[in-house]
């Protein structure tokens, strides 16, 4: 009974930290239900609306880029407390904003929290997880992102039914305050990462934290030497840096966010005139959720690399089919099935693997900075591709999907030849076991 209770502790604490992902997804998607009202409330031009909506994205870029060094210095758990507070502040300030500029600032703060979440929550969960269950537990972060997106769609729908349009948008944005407050409360109950404490030479505190987390001696290094002053640099970390850049780049080169952002336009361009946007979101969102759950169940048995290979093949096939529909002007009836195939293939591969892989491949002293590098790459390409998609689609609806398909074919080759498998390997041994380093880790 005691062993079972101890084994449940990492799950409970990982689930608490994983709520950052739910807020990540909710805060990203909730704005979709407020754009028309924002235009009216603040008398916004198309440019003004674009600035208001993109304020969170710019905050995300800053948060992802700048959270790594503080995370390595003060620990992921400490930074996650501030991130939870930022989520709560953003929700309330966005809902009560009296002007365009105050609204944009509130959304920017929310973006800082999203960017920080994408770096620090996976790092924390990875460092407290047993090697045999690390993929599943870090996968809770991605699952919560998907669940948060669905929750935002459902919340928007229910609030729209209860309140007049002129004020409904404020309640939609305020709804994020409840999960934000819960996340903030739970963060105070989390201990610091034993691995981070050990890397600072705080071995007594590390052992106490490990005991509270229910971690046994096989789950963390009991004699990790202090490593203050460690830096992420090309000479020591070239291969994990390249892997982080590659997995983050391919994540966005799949076209996932551009497709989700412009899903209504994609269907309209294929000749669908009156499809329900809500039903599309639910169908795509449910497929995403189901595939994410399946990936979480098998990631620690199948491994990261096979999932990436299978997903690259599936997304390439689906995107090629969509490109063919637009190029030939026929087969529109297959558009929704192909897009669902794309979403499922993405969710079981890139969607489930990216945050796990990024949190594994860097050494503990620079893990948060390595995660920040991958996360920042992800968000920069998100912004660039989301901007370029409608421009290229205006010239040819087929070309964006053909480009995405070619990128997925390239990913298949890159993963096959260069990506090591990290399944079941202790974090301290990943660099040596996978060939990321030739220097043995001292135990």
């Amino acid at each position: 009974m005691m062993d079972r209770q101890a084994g449940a502790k990492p799950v409970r604490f990982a689930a608490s930290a994983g709520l950052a992902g739910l807020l990540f997804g909710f805060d990203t998607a909730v704005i979709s239900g407020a754009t028309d009202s924002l235009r009216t409330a603040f008398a916004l031009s198309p440019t003004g609306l674009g600035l208001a909506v993109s304020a969170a994205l710019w905050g995300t870029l800053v948060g992802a880029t700048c959270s790594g060094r503080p995370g390595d210095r003060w620990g992921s758990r400490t930074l996650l407390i501030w991130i939870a507070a930022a989520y709560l502040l953003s929700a309330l300030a966005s809902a009560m904003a009296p002007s365009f500029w105050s609204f944009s600032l509130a959304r920017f703060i929310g973006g800082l929290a999203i960017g920080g979440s994408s770096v620090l929550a996976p790092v924390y969960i990875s460092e407290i997880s047993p090697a045999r269950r690390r993929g599943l537990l870090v996968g809770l972060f991605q699952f919560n992102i998907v669940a948060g997106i669905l929750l935002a769609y459902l919340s928007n729908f229910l609030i729209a039914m209860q309140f007049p349009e002129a004020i409904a948008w404020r309640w939609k944005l305020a709804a994020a305050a409840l999960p934000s407050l819960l996340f903030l409360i739970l963060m105070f109950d989390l201990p610091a990462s034993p691995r981070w404490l050990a890397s600072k030479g705080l071995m007594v505190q590390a052992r106490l934290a490990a005991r509270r987390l229910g971690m046994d001696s096989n789950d963390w290094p009991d004699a990790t030497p202090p490593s203050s002053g460690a830096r992420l640099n090309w000479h020591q970390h070239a291969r994990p840096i390249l892997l982080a850049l590659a997995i983050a780049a391919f994540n966005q080169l799949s076209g996932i966010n551009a497709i989700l952002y412009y899903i209504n336009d994609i269907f309209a361009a294929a000749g669908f005139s009156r499809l329900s946007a809500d039903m599309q979101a639910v169908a795509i969102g449910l497929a995403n959720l189901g595939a994410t759950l399946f990936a979480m169940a098998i990631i620690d048995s199948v491994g990261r690399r096979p999932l990436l290979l299978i997903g690259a093949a599936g997304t390439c096939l689906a995107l090629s089919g969509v490109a063919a529909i637009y190029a030939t002007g026929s087969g529109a009836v297959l558009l929704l099935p192909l897009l669902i195939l794309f979403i499922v293939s993405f969710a079981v591969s890139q969607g489930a693997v990216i945050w796990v892989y990024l949190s594994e491949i860097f050494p503990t002293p620079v893990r948060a900075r390595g995660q920040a590098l991958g996360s920042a790459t992800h968000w920069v390409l998100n912004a660039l591709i989301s901007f370029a998609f409608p421009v290229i689609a205006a010239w040819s609806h087929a070309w964006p999907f053909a480009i995405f398909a070619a990128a997925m074919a390239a990913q298949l080759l890159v993963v096959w030849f260069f990506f090591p498998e990290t399944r079941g390997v202790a974090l301290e041994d990943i660099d040596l076991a996978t060939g990321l380093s030739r220097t043995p880790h001292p135990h």
Side-chain angles (χ1 to χ4, degrees), residues 62-115:
V62 175
T65 303
C66 299
S67 58
R69 185 178 296 275
D72 285 329
R73 181 173 181 180
W74 290 299
S76 299
R77 181 259 187 186
T78 300
L79 270 293
L80 284 171
I81 292 174
W82 288 100
I83 285 171
Y87 272 126
L88 179 60
L89 174 62
S90 174
L92 296 176
S94 297
M96 297 186 292
S99 67
F100 162 77
W101 290 110
S102 59
F103 176 83
S104 298
L105 177 60
R107 290 292 293 168
F108 181 83
I109 293 171
L112 292 175
I114 293 173

Side-chain angles (χ1 to χ4, degrees), residues 241-254 256 346 350 354-355 357-358 370-382 385 411 419:
I241 286 173
L242 288 174
L243 289 172
L245 294 175
I247 196 169
F250 283 125
N251 183 280
Q252 288 303 301
L253 288 170
S254 69
I256 179 64
F346 177 87
Q350 278 278 2
I354 179 173
W355 306 116
Y357 208 72
L358 285 173
Q371 179 92 13
L373 177 66
S375 184
T377 302
H378 169 278
W379 290 112
V380 168
L381 285 175
N382 178 8
I385 293 172
Q411 181 192 14
F419 272 52

Side-chain angles (χ1 to χ4, degrees), residues 70-435:
D72 285 329
R73 181 173 181 180
W74 290 299
S76 299
R77 181 259 187 186
T78 300
L79 270 293
L80 284 171
I81 292 174
W82 288 100
I83 285 171
Y87 272 126
L88 179 60
L89 174 62
S90 174
L92 296 176
S94 297
M96 297 186 292
S99 67
F100 162 77
W101 290 110
S102 59
F103 176 83
S104 298
L105 177 60
R107 290 292 293 168
F108 181 83
I109 293 171
L112 292 175
I114 293 173
S117 294
S118 70
V119 173
L120 298 169
V123 166
Y124 180 83
I125 299 171
S126 178
E127 291 184 351
I128 69 168
S129 300
R132 66 187 182 280
R133 304 172 71 186
R134 191 170 56 241
L136 170 65
L137 296 183
V138 180
L140 287 172
F141 180 74
Q142 175 64 22
F143 170 78
N144 279 333
I145 293 175
V146 175
I149 292 171
L150 275 177
L151 183 62
Y153 289 145
L154 178 61
S155 174
N156 284 347
F157 175 72
L158 294 176
I159 289 173
M161 293 178 62
Q162 299 297 321
F163 295 94
E165 184 177 353
I167 63 169
W169 69 273
R170 294 188 181 273
W171 284 105
K172 290 176 181 179
L173 296 171
L178 291 177
S180 299
L181 180 60
L182 175 62
F183 180 47
L184 179 61
I185 293 171
L186 290 174
M187 282 302 95
F188 283 103
D189 185 50
L190 264 63
S193 159
R195 282 187 166 90
W196 176 79
L197 290 168
S199 74
K200 301 300 181 182
L202 304 173
M203 298 307 301
V204 174
Q205 296 94 318
R207 293 188 186 99
L208 290 173
R211 188 176 300 118
R212 186 168 174 224
L213 286 161
M215 299 172 71
D216 59 39
S217 58
N218 294 322
D219 292 336
W220 74 291
D222 196 41
T224 301
S227 55
S228 60
R231 295 183 178 182
L232 181 67
N233 64 74
W234 180 260
H235 177 70
Q236 291 182 330
H237 310 111
R239 193 173 180 203
I241 286 173
L242 288 174
L243 289 172
L245 294 175
I247 196 169
F250 283 125
N251 183 280
Q252 288 303 301
L253 288 170
S254 69
I256 179 64
N257 280 351
I259 290 172
L260 292 178
Y261 292 160
Y262 297 104
I263 189 69
N264 290 349
D265 295 336
I266 290 169
F267 278 98
F272 293 88
S273 57
R274 295 185 61 83
L275 286 178
S276 166
D278 289 334
M279 292 304 295
Q280 291 172 29
V282 170
I284 296 296
L286 287 175
N288 197 359
L289 183 65
T292 300
L293 282 170
F294 176 72
M296 288 173 59
I298 65 173
I299 190 171
D300 285 318
S301 56
V302 174
R304 289 63 157 148
R305 189 169 174 272
L307 289 181
L308 287 174
L309 292 170
I310 293 168
T315 51
C316 182
L317 176 64
L319 291 164
S320 297
V322 174
I325 288 173
Y326 286 122
T328 63
S330 61
V333 68
L334 297 175
L335 184 59
L336 181 58
L338 284 170
L339 287 176
I340 289 178
L341 172 61
F342 166 77
I343 289 292
V344 168
S345 298
F346 177 87
V348 300
S349 58
Q350 278 278 2
V353 173
I354 179 173
W355 306 116
V356 176
Y357 208 72
L358 285 173
S359 70
E360 293 176 327
I361 58 176
F362 289 94
T364 297
V366 295
R367 183 167 293 121
R369 274 168 283 184
Q371 179 92 13
L373 177 66
S375 184
T377 302
H378 169 278
W379 290 112
V380 168
L381 285 175
N382 178 8
L384 293 176
I385 293 172
S386 298
F387 170 78
F389 181 88
V391 177
I392 299 175
W395 177 61
S396 167
H397 292 301
W399 266 105
F401 296 96
I403 293 170
F404 296 149
M408 293 301 91
Q411 181 192 14
L412 185 65
L413 296 175
V414 171
V415 171
W416 180 269
F417 286 108
F418 299 109
F419 272 52
E421 179 57 65
T422 58
R423 173 177 61 93
V425 183
L427 288 179
E428 289 70 36
D429 297 326
I430 281 180
D431 53 354
L432 187 62
T434 61

